[in-house]
């Protein structure tokens, strides 16, 4: 490169003189990569749509009761206590409904399936089934339709004019996927929990921002050697190599591996009704975290640190420093990607975070 940078910086755009025509090669390559990535994303969405339509219309899926059943959350008490009104509400969809199940408070029912207790449990369940009115009705219901299309239309329809009332309708539910304990949560409690967990998520984002910025500054640790207090770093290539190469990416990778478990716990506390929704919403928040903290914060914080250090002796060149230092700040991103590439397989085999959480 014309800027004669070394290490991973030699692979970045910062190694090209801004006045050189070779800069257009980097810009053209960047545009091609962006176009190729978008093309692949669109292609993956097409494949996903095709596979989902194939799965939804497959005879094995259509024949299951869950394919034509929806889980309705935040059902008002006036409807939960009158199943006939629920029937009338959902009967307008194609094919009509087969059955309506209003979930009830069943804390007295034991779930101990040991061999010695099966007979006792069966007798107790049969007795309780004959006295369903004694069990408190919850603010959720399972509605089984005669046709699959009716279930999917109900899931995309505004069912009530009241705020938060029956605003969450999930089609294609599976009993193993439902988080039954979260069905007991009232609509307003679920809304308040959502605000609280959102505030915690924002707090985590700010905390991760500070940590990511601090780790990014370690990449530019060589600049600290210009100050008298850190003169011991001069010529110490081992320490400089460890702190500028391995430590930031390793710590960032460890933090990001713990984050999904924290987000999943927050979504569970929020009152999400199915495990599949927790996974989907967790991926959305994780993508935001990675885009903000791993990419944007890491790039700009490392370049700002470098600019601040050099502007102390040359304050008149701040604009020029911005022009030259920001492109060079991709070093930590390259290090992070290379680290994930080399330890990805080993991390999946070891499963360190789940193993640690198992004994906590």
């Amino acid at each position: 490169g014309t800027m004669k940078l070394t290490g991973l910086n030699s692979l970045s755009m910062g190694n090209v003189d801004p006045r050189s025509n070779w800069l257009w090669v980097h810009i053209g390559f960047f545009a091609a990569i962006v176009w190729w990535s978008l093309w692949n994303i669109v292609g993956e969405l097409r494949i996903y749509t095709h596979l989902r339509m194939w799965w939804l219309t497959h005879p094995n899926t259509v024949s299951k009761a869950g394919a034509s059943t929806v889980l309705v959350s935040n059902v008002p008490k006036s409807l939960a206590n009158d199943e006939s009104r629920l029937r009338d509400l959902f009967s307008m969809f194609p094919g009509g409904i087969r059955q309506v199940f209003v979930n009830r408070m069943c804390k007295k029912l034991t779930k101990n399936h040991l061999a010695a207790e099966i007979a006792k449990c069966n007798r107790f369940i049969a007795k309780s089934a004959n006295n369903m009115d004694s069990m408190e009705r919850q603010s959720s219901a399972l509605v089984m339709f005669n046709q699959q299309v009716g279930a999917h239309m109900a899931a995309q329809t505004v069912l009530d004019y009241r705020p938060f009332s029956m605003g969450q309708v999930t089609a294609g539910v599976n009993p193993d996927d439902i988080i039954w304990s979260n069905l007991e949560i009232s609509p307003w409690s679920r809304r308040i929990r959502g605000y609280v967990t959102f505030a915690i998520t924002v707090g985590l984002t700010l905390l991760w921002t500070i940590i990511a910025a601090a780790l990014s500054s370690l990449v530019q640790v060589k600049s600290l050697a210009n100050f008298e207090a850190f003169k011991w770093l001069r010529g110490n290539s081992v320490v400089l190599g460890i702190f500028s190469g391995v430590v930031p990416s390793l710590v960032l990778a460890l933090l990001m591996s713990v984050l999904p478990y924290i987000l999943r716990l927050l979504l569970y506390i929020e009152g999400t009704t199915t495990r599949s929704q927790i996974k989907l919403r967790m991926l959305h928040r994780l993508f935001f975290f990675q885009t903000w903290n791993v990419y944007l914060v890491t790039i700009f914080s490392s370049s700002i640190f470098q600019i601040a250090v050099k502007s102390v002796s040359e304050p008149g060149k701040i604009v020029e420093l911005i022009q030259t230092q920001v492109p060079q700040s991709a070093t930590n991103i390259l290090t992070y990607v290379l680290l994930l590439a080399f330890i990805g397989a080993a991390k999946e085999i070891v499963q360190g975070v789940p193993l640690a959480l198992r004994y906590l």
Side-chain angles (χ1 to χ4, degrees):
T2 56
M3 302 299 290
K4 302 186 184 302
L5 299 179
T6 59
L8 291 177
N9 281 332
S10 62
L11 303 177
S12 67
M13 188 183 296
N15 199 26
V16 180
D17 192 323
R19 294 163 294 184
S20 174
N21 291 330
W22 284 105
L23 190 63
W24 289 104
V25 177
H26 280 265
I27 296 176
F29 182 75
F30 174 78
I33 290 295
V34 171
W35 180 87
W36 178 79
S37 300
L38 293 176
W39 176 266
N40 279 278
I41 291 174
V42 173
E44 291 295 330
L45 288 175
R46 289 177 178 174
I47 295 174
Y48 164 78
T49 304
H50 173 76
L51 290 177
R52 179 165 175 78
M53 291 300 298
W54 172 84
W55 179 78
L56 288 174
T57 57
H58 194 275
N60 291 341
T61 302
V62 177
S63 61
K64 296 180 180 178
S68 56
T69 304
V70 297
L71 171 63
V72 185
S73 303
N74 304 334
V75 178
K77 286 186 177 181
S78 58
L79 293 178
N81 294 328
D82 191 350
E83 292 187 10
S84 61
R85 292 182 60 186
L86 278 177
R87 287 179 173 273
D88 295 339
L89 175 63
F90 289 98
S91 294
M92 62 179 177
F93 295 103
I97 61 173
R98 189 184 312 172
Q99 200 164 358
V100 175
F101 305 93
V102 177
N103 296 311
R104 299 171 184 263
M105 188 73 69
C106 302
K107 290 185 176 180
K108 294 183 179 179
L109 292 179
T110 175
K111 294 184 180 180
N112 187 0
H113 294 289
L114 298 175
E117 298 291 331
I118 290 180
K120 184 189 297 185
C121 290
N122 287 339
R123 288 194 299 269
F124 185 71
I125 291 173
K127 181 181 178 181
S128 300
N130 295 327
N131 192 22
M132 294 291 290
D133 292 335
S134 62
M135 297 181 182
E136 181 184 352
R137 295 171 182 259
Q138 298 178 344
S139 61
S140 60
L142 291 167
V143 182
M144 184 180 296
F145 290 82
N146 290 319
Q147 295 182 9
Q148 185 183 25
V149 63
H152 285 271
M153 290 182 66
Q156 302 177 52
T157 303
V158 178
L159 299 173
D160 199 353
Y161 65 91
R162 286 169 285 189
F164 313 141
S165 175
M166 294 190 290
Q168 184 177 355
V169 182
T170 307
V173 293
N174 187 308
D176 295 332
D177 188 43
I178 297 175
I179 304 176
W180 297 98
S181 59
N182 282 351
L183 298 182
E184 306 173 7
I185 302 174
S186 65
W188 286 102
S189 177
R190 181 176 286 112
R191 179 65 58 173
I192 293 173
R193 290 183 180 208
Y195 292 144
V196 173
T197 57
F198 178 77
I200 296 175
T201 304
V202 173
L204 284 175
T205 304
L206 297 176
L207 176 62
W208 249 254
T209 300
I210 297 173
I211 296 175
L215 293 174
S216 300
S217 65
L218 289 178
V219 178
Q220 309 296 342
V221 72
K222 294 180 181 179
S223 300
L224 292 176
N226 297 328
F227 296 94
E228 188 66 23
F230 298 94
K231 63 180 181 180
W232 58 274
L233 290 173
R234 300 170 187 172
N236 198 334
S237 59
V238 176
V239 175
L240 290 175
I242 292 175
F243 276 96
S244 63
V246 179
V247 173
S249 299
L250 184 60
V251 175
L252 187 60
L254 290 175
L255 289 175
M256 294 306 298
S257 62
V258 175
L259 184 61
Y261 297 93
I262 300 176
L263 295 178
R264 189 180 291 118
L265 176 62
L266 290 176
L267 289 170
Y268 175 82
I269 296 174
E270 183 177 323
T272 308
T273 54
T274 62
R275 293 178 175 83
S276 57
Q277 288 179 349
I278 286 181
K279 293 179 180 178
L280 181 61
R281 295 179 63 189
M282 184 268 292
L283 290 175
H284 289 166
R285 296 190 182 187
L286 185 62
F287 175 77
F288 170 76
F289 259 89
Q290 289 181 328
T291 303
W292 174 255
N293 287 316
V294 178
Y295 184 72
L296 295 177
V297 173
T298 301
I299 287 180
F300 288 103
S301 61
S302 60
S303 59
I304 289 174
F305 177 81
Q306 187 80 343
I307 293 169
V309 171
K310 292 188 176 182
S311 62
V312 172
S313 57
E314 299 176 310
K317 294 185 177 181
I318 293 180
V319 177
E320 183 180 347
L321 289 172
I322 294 175
Q323 184 181 7
T324 57
Q325 295 302 322
V326 172
Q328 297 179 20
S329 59
T331 303
N332 43 6
I333 295 295
L334 293 174
T335 307
Y336 179 72
V337 172
L338 289 175
L339 179 68
L340 293 182
F342 285 117
I343 70 170
K347 185 181 70 172
E348 292 299 323
I349 294 174
V350 174
Q351 291 290 311
V353 175
L355 184 63
L357 294 176
R358 181 183 178 88
Y359 294 99
L360 290 179

